[in-house]
Amino acid sequence: MHAATHSMFPATEQALLSPVELNTLATLMLPGLPQNNSSRTAPEQAPQPSLSFAPQLEEDPEDDADPAYLDDPDYTPDDTNTQPIPAGYTYICQFIAHDIIADSHFHIGGRHTSARLNLDSMYGNDGSGDPIRSIEVRYFDSESGRFLTQAHDVHRVAPGTIENAPWATAWMPEQRNDENAIVLQLHSLFQSLHNAFISALPATQTDMAERIITARRYTVAVFHHIVINDLLPKLVLADCHEYFFNKLGPFYYGASRPYTQVPAEFKLASFRFGHSMLRPRYHLKTEYSQSFSLDEIMRRPPFEPLDEAHVVDWPALFFDPLDNEGLQQIASPIDLFITSDMATVPHPTNPRAGRNIAQLNLLAGIKLGLNSAESILRVITTESHFKPFAEYFKQQLSHRKLVVTSPGQETDFIYALLAVLQEQQRTPLWLYTLQENLTDYPNNNQYKLGLVASAINCDVLRSAMYECYRNDEQDGMAQLADKLTTTIQQAFACLGKPLHTMADITSFLTTRSHSDE
């Protein structure tokens, strides 16, 4: 068994699952799937538990879309731990993953990712080592410094233009962003934000490379501002967000341990919570019009221009929770269940070979020897390196166990299996991530992550962002935070408008686009 590379926790107890347990979990997490009794996954000597508790998929696909939208959202403004999450933020997480987590199958035309969240999935990386100045100029118009882009889509070129990708036509470094209609448009959206900065920069800055680099610096800073102040507060424990971004409390990474690698716990487990948040269907317009299955959105024809029907009205995906105008779609809860469309994730070289995403996630942790959640908890509460965090969250970490009570008889079996794994100290971190929120929220809120997943994600993303501002080896966390804040203020001054949320960005760019027509 291989040890998990770049682990945050030097523990030794791995979350091993038997073939029967793996097959059972992967089947129960995607309700309605037929049982797979293949000898490769369930040996004859190990009897397969009954799967009769798994709920059946309804024949009407629209039934699986509930809730399709919120007619009369009943939000409590003062309680930030109970608000459902607008559906678009799921895809911001995917956009982040594509920027800092390498493609495990390395598609032809793929790239070497940087661990820093510097949007090199958009800007490319010329190999110079500087996280902001390292641009690939071929993606920009040589006279203006603007991204070559199209309305709602990216610029597309003739086959063979991109090296080693004879059929690729999407003119961008990260080809994975072209596979999903929503992520593709997010890519185009942030390209448009860069172009807005190019237009707003003073004419006296005439050096084209410097204009592009300045626009990148501002675009990246605004994106960081969105991640810190819009995305993460919706997803993580409020006290945990306060600890990492206001008190600048230490965890694993710090000024004395520069961030250079995406740790296994993040990329294989804690940041894969979004698979649970995926809805089975999406309305892409603010009117109550045609909806599209997850399969249609995530498996668009490779490298073809965006279908007009898939153009997103952003207020349908990013909205003010207190505003009830138009269609408002929320993400699915963070829990142990995944929409059945994720049962057949296409293989990158054989689209007919569908793969179960739950099984893939569990297998990834097993193959790389990822530590069990219980082992990680033991390290956090006993190792001196984590002492400041453990002291700050002493009450929450004391006698910490998952809540594994089934909410309904149809799901009893998966909770029983999870209880066994917890008792035997071998709970996979991904499963722990999906269930931990019920330990931290007495009101059974499942729209946020629990403490351990919040900490891992905050620590990694904070480090991935702050390292973009390190130009002095002596910089500490406070200096890096100040540099980010200064750059954000400069960016807002350049535009003449602050952009604090995704709704702000989409509204600003939509209005700007209409005024240019």
Side-chain angles (χ1 to χ4, degrees):
M1 183 67 62
H2 299 289
T5 56
H6 311 300
S7 174
M8 299 172 72
F9 307 99
T12 57
E13 296 180 14
Q14 299 170 358
L16 296 177
L17 298 174
S18 72
V20 170
E21 290 167 333
L22 175 64
N23 184 60
T24 302
L25 284 167
T27 304
L28 288 175
M29 293 181 75
L30 292 113
L33 298 185
Q35 179 178 340
N36 180 1
N37 287 317
S38 166
S39 59
R40 290 178 296 175
T41 55
E44 291 183 3
Q45 64 269 27
Q48 173 72 38
S50 169
L51 303 185
S52 60
F53 292 118
Q56 297 298 309
L57 191 66
E58 298 289 341
E59 293 183 1
D60 183 357
E62 289 291 348
D63 288 346
D64 201 23
D66 185 37
Y69 55 87
L70 299 178
D71 274 324
D72 298 299
D74 183 16
Y75 295 114
T76 307
D78 294 332
D79 188 352
T80 58
N81 286 335
T82 60
Q83 292 184 8
I85 302 171
Y89 289 92
T90 310
Y91 295 94
I92 293 290
C93 292
Q94 187 174 358
F95 186 70
I96 290 171
H98 287 180
D99 201 66
I100 62 175
I101 298 176
D103 181 0
S104 58
H105 301 285
F106 204 71
H107 293 61
I108 292 178
R111 65 187 180 91
H112 293 285
T113 57
S114 164
R116 294 162 172 160
L117 186 56
N118 57 10
L119 297 187
D120 66 4
S121 58
M122 277 175 36
Y123 288 93
N125 189 331
D126 66 8
S128 65
D130 188 289
I132 297 299
R133 300 186 66 83
S134 181
I135 59 173
E136 294 184 48
V137 296
R138 59 180 176 166
Y139 296 112
F140 306 93
D141 176 72
S142 60
E143 295 184 2
S144 68
R146 296 165 59 90
F147 268 111
L148 298 171
T149 187
Q150 302 176 25
H152 311 293
D153 200 353
V154 296
H155 183 62
R156 296 182 181 275
V157 295
T161 304
I162 299 178
E163 186 179 359
N164 297 325
W167 56 78
T169 59
W171 194 233
M172 57 183 179
E174 180 50 76
Q175 293 297 311
R176 286 177 293 175
N177 285 354
D178 193 31
E179 299 171 353
N180 180 310
I182 297 176
V183 175
L184 169 62
Q185 290 173 82
L186 284 172
H187 188 110
S188 178
L189 183 79
F190 284 103
Q191 285 183 324
S192 296
L193 181 59
H194 167 97
N195 291 347
F197 280 118
I198 287 288
S199 298
L201 287 173
T204 53
Q205 186 176 3
T206 57
D207 184 275
M208 192 51 60
E210 288 302 317
R211 288 181 70 86
I212 294 172
I213 290 166
T214 301
R216 175 183 185 164
R217 190 161 60 89
Y218 290 166
T219 302
V220 169
V222 170
F223 185 65
H224 291 168
H225 182 64
I226 293 298
V227 172
I228 295 170
N229 296 293
D230 188 26
L231 173 69
L232 287 176
K234 290 179 170 61
L235 290 169
V236 303
L237 192 70
D239 288 347
C240 203
H241 188 276
E242 172 78 8
Y243 177 85
F244 281 95
F245 293 102
N246 293 332
K247 297 185 180 299
L248 299 178
F251 189 64
Y252 179 73
Y253 292 104
S256 61
R257 191 193 299 242
Y259 176 78
T260 57
Q261 299 285 348
V262 178
E265 291 84 1
F266 176 86
K267 65 183 179 182
L268 297 181
S270 290
F271 203 62
R272 294 195 179 191
F273 65 87
H275 291 155
S276 177
M277 295 172 66
L278 292 168
R279 296 165 52 88
R281 302 189 70 83
Y282 289 84
H283 293 265
L284 301 181
K285 303 291 187 289
T286 50
E287 300 82 12
Y288 301 99
S289 57
Q290 178 184 5
S291 67
F292 297 91
S293 70
L294 183 61
D295 187 79
E296 292 173 298
I297 290 170
M298 295 189 67
R299 292 148 203 165
R300 55 180 237 92
F303 313 121
E304 292 186 6
L306 182 70
D307 190 319
E308 182 69 25
H310 291 166
V311 172
V312 172
D313 287 343
W314 292 116
L317 300 180
F318 299 108
F319 51 86
D320 181 346
L322 302 181
D323 182 2
N324 193 27
E325 293 185 6
L327 185 147
Q328 298 182 342
Q329 298 174 101
I330 61 173
S332 295
I334 299 172
D335 59 21
L336 291 171
F337 302 100
I338 299 173
T339 178
S340 56
D341 272 9
M342 295 301 286
T344 54
V345 180
H347 190 279
T349 58
N350 182 8
R352 294 184 178 180
R355 303 167 299 159
N356 181 319
I357 193 66
Q359 188 172 56
L360 288 176
N361 287 346
L362 292 166
L363 276 173
I366 294 170
K367 288 181 177 179
L368 288 181
L370 201 63
N371 299 308
S372 70
E374 291 81 14
S375 178
I376 289 170
L377 271 169
R378 194 154 46 249
V379 171
I380 291 175
T381 54
T382 60
E383 294 289 333
S384 60
H385 185 77
F386 295 96
K387 185 176 180 180
F389 178 84
E391 287 293 325
Y392 192 89
F393 292 100
K394 184 176 182 179
Q395 183 175 351
Q396 292 97 316
L397 290 170
S398 178
H399 306 294
R400 189 173 186 81
K401 292 188 70 173
L402 287 178
V403 175
V404 291
T405 303
S406 171
Q409 185 178 7
E410 73 278 3
T411 56
D412 277 348
F413 195 82
I414 192 170
Y415 288 93
L417 180 52
L418 186 60
V420 170
L421 294 175
Q422 182 173 220
E423 184 67 26
Q424 297 176 354
Q425 304 279 293
R426 54 190 182 93
T427 307
L429 183 58
W430 182 57
L431 292 184
Y432 187 91
T433 293
L434 299 182
Q435 185 67 9
E436 186 192 17
N437 44 25
L438 294 186
T439 301
D440 290 294
Y441 303 109
N443 57 353
N444 289 343
N445 173 48
Q446 287 186 282
Y447 289 101
K448 283 200 173 189
L449 296 165
L451 176 60
V452 174
S454 293
I456 293 172
N457 289 334
C458 283
D459 189 45
V460 171
L461 290 177
R462 179 180 68 175
S463 303
M465 291 183 284
Y466 283 12
E467 281 295 319
C468 294
Y469 303 90
R470 184 187 293 277
N471 51 29
D472 188 325
E473 291 183 1
Q474 303 305 313
D475 281 344
M477 195 69 72
Q479 286 74 32
L480 297 177
D482 287 344
K483 289 178 181 180
L484 170 56
T485 299
T486 299
T487 309
I488 292 168
Q489 292 171 346
Q490 293 171 345
F492 290 165
C494 178
L495 288 181
K497 183 179 182 62
L499 304 173
H500 298 301
T501 66
M502 281 303 301
D504 289 342
I505 289 179
T506 57
S507 176
F508 169 73
L509 292 176
T510 300
T511 302
R512 183 176 179 274
S513 175
H514 290 165
S515 66
D516 290 343
E517 292 177 355

